[in-house]
């Protein structure tokens, strides 16, 4: 067993342990931080496997953007952060279903390959990947960026209850009369 194998096993154990903590913790912010540890360990696995570009994309996009977006969404929507007694359910049905699905997928994988050696494709380069993303896949890339931007704007609008709401007595909001007079409307 080489040093790379030991490091791969250690990083895999950290990723699995942190992933288990993500789904078992009752505190939402801690779950987000455990997700950072899990995704960071996965980036370390990519580095051990000599996939530096994938590792840095993992760190930049998942750790740097998705987890921060998750934590901002929690803060913007004012969701309950701590443990919630009204949402507690027994965990054994989920563990039973997850364990059964995992065993079924493992049996399917072993049955499909029967311990045969699979030839790997030629490794790609960052140049080829960039060429594919920015030539062939540029439209889906831009559509995804617009979708994420609209989700962020929607989160901000949902977090502000005062936008678009009229007072209870039916009158216009406080600044609306001045705006109407300044615009020349009666």
């Amino acid at each position: 067993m080489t040093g790379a194998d030991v490091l791969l096993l250690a990083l895999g154990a950290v990723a699995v342990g942190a992933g288990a903590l993500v789904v078992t913790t009752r505190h939402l912010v801690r779950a987000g931080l455990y997700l950072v540890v899990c995704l960071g360990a996965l980036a370390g696995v990519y580095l051990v496997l000599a996939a530096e570009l994938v590792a840095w994309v993992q760190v930049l996009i998942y750790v740097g953007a998705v987890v921060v977006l998750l934590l901002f969404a929690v803060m913007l929507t004012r969701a309950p952060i701590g443990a919630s007694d009204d949402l507690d359910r027994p965990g054994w049905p989920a563990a039973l279903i997850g364990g059964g699905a995992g065993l079924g997928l493992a049996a399917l994988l072993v049955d499909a390959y029967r311990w045969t050696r699979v030839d790997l494709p030629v490794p790609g380069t960052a140049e080829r990947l960039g060429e594919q993303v920015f030539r062939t896949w540029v439209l889906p890339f831009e559509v995804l960026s617009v979708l994420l931007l609209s989700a962020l704007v929607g989160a901000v609008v949902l977090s502000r209850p005062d936008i678009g709401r009229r007072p209870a007595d039916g009158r216009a909001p406080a600044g609306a009369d001045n705006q109407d007079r300044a615009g020349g409307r009666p």
Side-chain angles (χ1 to χ4, degrees):
M1 186 173 262
T2 65
D5 292 338
V6 171
L7 189 58
L8 195 65
L9 287 173
L11 287 169
V14 169
V16 168
L21 287 172
V22 168
V23 297
T24 57
T25 187
R26 303 175 119 209
H27 198 272
L28 190 58
V29 174
R30 287 184 188 153
L33 295 176
Y34 290 139
L35 185 61
V36 168
V37 172
C38 180
L39 295 173
L42 189 58
V45 167
Y46 290 141
L47 281 175
V48 171
L49 294 174
E52 293 87 6
L53 178 70
V54 179
W56 292 119
V57 167
Q58 172 86 13
V59 169
L60 288 174
I61 292 179
Y62 286 107
V63 175
V66 172
V67 173
V68 171
L69 184 67
L70 171 86
L71 293 176
F72 277 150
V74 168
M75 288 184 249
L76 278 174
T77 58
R78 296 183 186 112
I81 294 174
S84 178
D85 293 332
D86 60 338
L87 297 177
D88 286 346
R89 294 188 178 103
W92 66 268
L96 185 66
I97 291 171
L103 286 174
L105 287 173
L108 181 68
L109 184 69
V110 168
D111 184 51
Y113 289 103
R114 300 238 184 238
W115 305 108
T116 59
R117 185 172 175 89
V118 177
D119 293 328
L120 296 175
V122 178
T125 63
E127 182 181 351
R128 280 193 9 211
L129 180 65
E131 183 180 314
Q132 286 292 316
V133 167
F134 294 113
R135 282 202 182 141
T136 308
W137 297 99
V138 71
L139 183 63
F141 188 77
E142 292 299 324
V143 167
L144 182 63
S145 66
V146 170
L147 178 68
L148 289 173
L149 178 66
S150 64
L152 181 63
V153 170
V156 169
V157 168
L158 286 175
S159 70
R160 298 269 320 263
D162 58 328
I163 295 177
R165 187 175 54 173
R166 292 189 173 265
D169 59 1
R171 292 184 307 160
D177 292 335
N178 295 337
Q179 290 173 354
D180 287 344
R181 287 189 199 121
R185 287 177 268 155

